[in-house]
Amino acid sequence: MAALFVFDQRRRKQRTFKDRISSLDHLSDVEVVDRYRLSRIAIIYLEDNLRNDLSPPTNRSQSVSSMTKVLVGLRVLSKGNLLSEVADLHGISKQTASRVLHKFVDAVNRNIDNIRFPRTQQELAEAKLGFYKRCKIANIVGAVDGTLVPIIASKDSGEAYICRKGFHAINVMATCSHDRRFIDIVAKWPGSQHDSSVMNTSLLKEHMESERPGMLLADSGYPLTTSLLTPLANPVTPAEARYNNAQSKGRMVIEQSFGILKGRFRCLHKTGGVLSYSPEKSCAIFMACARLHNMCLDWGLTLDDAQVVDPGQDAMEARMGQPCLQVQELRRRVVNTFV
């Protein structure tokens, strides 16, 4: 019996541990941003804010440190569907990397609270001034649009998740400021959901209609309302053409924001593969990426033009009928400022 035990011990594979990366000392400042999208000091700041959620629950010598979890999370989000490579790079298994990613995403969403709609009079005044300087339309506080994020086809993502372009996706509605900062996000709907339906069921619509802080610029996939300013379908006069150009110039910031977001975090773009997680986890990943995008703006981190991707935006076919005369007159007054 003793001999069998000794033989079994010899045959059992010795457990080995890979060298783990928990420091950025071996990378230049440029390499840090290229690999993790944040600067060295921003990563240290982020780890400090997430440490309580990410610190190992035990003092075992081979537990994954909070800094390694931050680096793994940032690397997966920035590079897309390369979990095995990220795991090898940071000295952990693929299974551990997957668990770390979701813990990191949850920690970001719990602790980084930087997606905020302007509320105070000063914030609203600054928002309106920013848009007026950009497009010469007054009383604009944001630009809104939806974007499709590819996800894997699974039992959790049925036909409702097949978007109008024929692939499985989530449809996320986002609003941004004039400087491409996300100020409101609705991330919970399947890809087949129409943009106008997402808006109609949102707290954002409720806030815009009850508080009346100003108006949002939107494309033709949204209805013209007292809080949504859309383009003219068939501009005839020079003033109407100038209005449409100005409206497009102001609205362009949300498309640019999506392009920068998806270029920075390729997991959200088709070039990074598809998100191979449930719709709920995919929505959480989008929210975390948007918070990190805003954090990049806070730290003055820009993206080269070559890295910005085409977000694949195109206006959905409008489902709404003719807007009421009062709303049409509101837009007509804006058009008349371009006479």
Side-chain angles (χ1 to χ4, degrees):
M1 189 72 179
L4 287 175
F5 176 77
V6 171
F7 177 75
D8 183 65
Q9 288 292 94
R10 289 175 179 173
R11 188 173 58 181
R12 184 179 300 169
K13 185 178 180 180
Q14 183 71 25
R15 189 179 181 188
T16 59
F17 297 96
K18 303 176 183 178
D19 293 333
R20 290 177 180 163
I21 295 178
S22 59
S23 170
L24 302 172
D25 295 342
H26 64 293
L27 299 174
S28 69
D29 291 343
V30 173
E31 289 172 330
V32 169
V33 176
D34 180 63
R35 293 190 183 192
Y36 300 104
R37 298 305 190 241
L38 295 179
S39 63
R40 194 184 309 271
I41 188 66
I43 291 174
I44 293 172
Y45 170 85
L46 180 63
E47 188 272 337
D48 184 62
N49 278 268
L50 306 185
R51 190 178 301 151
N52 288 341
D53 285 14
L54 297 182
S55 291
T58 67
N59 292 322
R60 292 185 306 170
S61 60
Q62 296 301 329
S63 58
V64 183
S65 70
S66 58
M67 178 56 82
T68 298
K69 291 175 182 176
V70 168
L71 297 179
V72 168
L74 289 174
R75 181 75 173 181
V76 173
L77 297 183
S78 65
K79 297 301 180 183
N81 194 18
L82 299 170
L83 201 60
S84 297
E85 289 84 345
V86 174
D88 290 342
L89 178 65
H90 294 87
I92 59 178
S93 68
K94 181 179 178 180
Q95 293 76 15
T96 299
S98 181
R99 291 193 298 269
V100 164
L101 170 64
H102 297 301
K103 288 181 180 179
F104 171 76
V105 165
D106 291 342
V108 169
N109 287 331
R110 276 195 301 267
N111 295 281
I112 307 301
D113 181 24
N114 59 5
I115 300 177
R116 295 186 293 270
F117 198 85
R119 300 278 179 169
T120 68
Q121 290 300 314
Q122 180 179 349
E123 289 172 344
L124 290 170
E126 291 174 354
K128 293 175 183 180
L129 179 60
F131 272 101
Y132 186 79
K133 287 181 177 180
R134 181 177 181 84
C135 64
K136 297 299 183 288
I137 299 178
N139 204 34
I140 302 299
V141 296
V144 63
D145 202 359
T147 191
L148 296 169
V149 178
I151 64 172
I152 194 169
S154 68
K155 63 179 181 180
D156 297 323
S157 57
E159 290 186 2
Y161 285 89
I162 301 177
C163 68
R164 65 188 185 281
K165 297 183 178 181
F167 58 85
H168 284 70
I170 55 174
N171 185 9
V172 180
M173 186 181 78
T175 307
C176 75
S177 61
H178 66 280
D179 56 356
R180 305 177 186 85
R181 175 182 298 274
F182 291 109
I183 57 176
D184 187 82
I185 291 180
V186 179
K188 62 180 180 179
W189 292 101
S192 65
Q193 195 77 3
H194 196 279
D195 286 351
S196 61
S197 299
V198 177
M199 171 61 77
N200 286 336
T201 57
S202 68
L203 293 176
L204 175 62
K205 179 188 177 185
E206 181 181 322
H207 173 72
M208 294 297 294
E209 292 181 348
S210 61
E211 300 299 325
R212 298 194 177 280
M215 300 188 74
L216 301 174
L217 296 173
D219 64 24
S220 57
Y222 294 87
L224 174 66
T225 69
T226 55
S227 58
L228 289 176
L229 192 61
T230 60
L232 290 159
N234 299 296
V236 176
T237 68
E240 289 176 344
R242 286 193 288 269
Y243 161 77
N244 265 15
N245 288 335
Q247 200 271 359
S248 176
K249 186 176 181 180
R251 193 184 72 244
M252 196 64 65
V253 293
I254 184 61
E255 298 181 11
Q256 293 168 345
S257 298
F258 285 143
I260 295 170
L261 174 72
K262 293 183 178 184
R264 181 173 272 136
F265 300 109
R266 291 300 176 102
C267 68
L268 304 178
H269 191 255
K270 58 186 178 182
T271 56
V274 299
L275 289 175
S276 30
Y277 310 106
S278 69
E280 292 75 16
K281 288 183 177 180
S282 297
C283 290
I285 287 173
F286 187 97
M287 290 297 302
C289 289
R291 296 179 194 278
L292 293 169
H293 165 90
N294 282 0
M295 186 175 170
C296 288
L297 296 181
D298 291 336
W299 288 90
L301 298 169
T302 58
L303 205 63
D304 294 337
D305 290 342
Q307 294 177 291
V308 179
V309 300
D310 178 1
Q313 301 301 109
D314 57 349
M316 283 187 168
E317 182 181 350
R319 288 182 177 176
M320 62 293 301
Q322 189 76 356
C324 68
L325 292 177
Q326 178 187 2
V327 175
Q328 292 185 61
E329 177 57 29
L330 186 152
R331 182 168 63 184
R332 176 54 55 187
R333 290 198 296 269
V334 178
V335 171
N336 288 341
T337 65
F338 291 92
V339 173

